[in-house]
Amino acid sequence: MTGLKPPPHSVLDRYHGDEVRPLYTGRVRVRGGVAQHGRASGVVRSDDGALSVDLRLPAELGGPGGGTNPEQLLAAGYAGCFHGAMVLVAARAGMELVDPSIDVAVTFARDPVDGLYLLSAEIVVCLPGMDPIRAAELVRNTERVCPYAKMFHRGISHVVRVAVD
């Protein structure tokens, strides 16, 4: 692809307002697929057609594996967002990064509190050759900017609606 470039540093400018100001909404629909179960055989499609993924239950959860699963999608979103935010924060601070990478693990687990399920995430920020103190400061500042990091720290506003039409 040509024409790809990072957003301007101005995206880090603070917003001053009384209400949340939506900038973009990603929309997907999941259908059950062959097994009529979104997690085991789901079909994910975005409203703009850019995303098309077949979900498969990982072998660790009793499925055949060999496909994408919700934890991988969440990890990909978190890693991509954190990387982008970190590059912008570094550029604004005049820091040069050399081949930074982000590893994210999202774990689906049993919840000892209610006996059901929960998700957890671990992120490893790889900053080759960087001074450890500067690297830690950059990561702390990125956590303040990255909406995924904020979601994992503070939770997320959500609404569940039912449609029967």
Side-chain angles (χ1 to χ4, degrees):
M1 287 190 217
T2 60
L4 295 177
K5 60 183 180 178
H9 300 160
S10 62
V11 300
L12 295 177
D13 293 346
R14 293 199 180 268
Y15 164 69
H16 300 284
D18 296 327
E19 302 286 327
V20 170
R21 190 178 87 198
L23 300 175
Y24 168 76
T25 301
R27 298 182 191 285
V28 301
R29 173 171 283 173
V30 174
R31 295 193 181 270
V34 175
Q36 289 300 301
H37 187 279
R39 193 163 178 65
S41 66
V43 179
V44 180
R45 303 290 182 264
S46 61
D47 63 344
D48 64 1
L51 178 68
S52 179
V53 178
D54 293 332
L55 298 177
R56 294 298 175 262
L57 196 60
E60 296 84 350
L61 297 178
T68 302
N69 59 66
E71 292 74 30
Q72 290 171 328
L73 293 171
L74 180 57
Y78 190 2
C81 188
F82 200 93
H83 189 285
M86 183 180 68
V87 168
L88 285 172
V89 170
R92 182 169 258 189
M95 301 169 79
E96 186 174 331
L97 302 180
V98 179
D99 196 26
S101 63
I102 308 295
D103 296 327
V104 174
V106 171
T107 300
F108 178 74
R110 294 307 299 247
D111 186 346
V113 173
D114 65 10
L116 296 173
Y117 303 96
L118 59 76
L119 293 174
S120 63
E122 179 181 350
I123 182 168
V124 177
V125 180
C126 304
L127 296 164
M130 183 174 267
D131 172 71
I133 293 171
R134 291 191 76 205
E137 180 182 3
L138 174 61
V139 170
R140 276 194 312 277
N141 289 335
T142 302
E143 285 183 290
R144 293 181 184 109
V145 172
C146 175
Y148 277 77
K150 290 167 70 174
M151 173 187 69
F152 278 103
H153 285 294
R154 297 194 279 192
I156 186 172
S157 171
H158 71 283
V159 174
V160 177
R161 295 184 300 135
V162 175
V164 294
D165 297 319

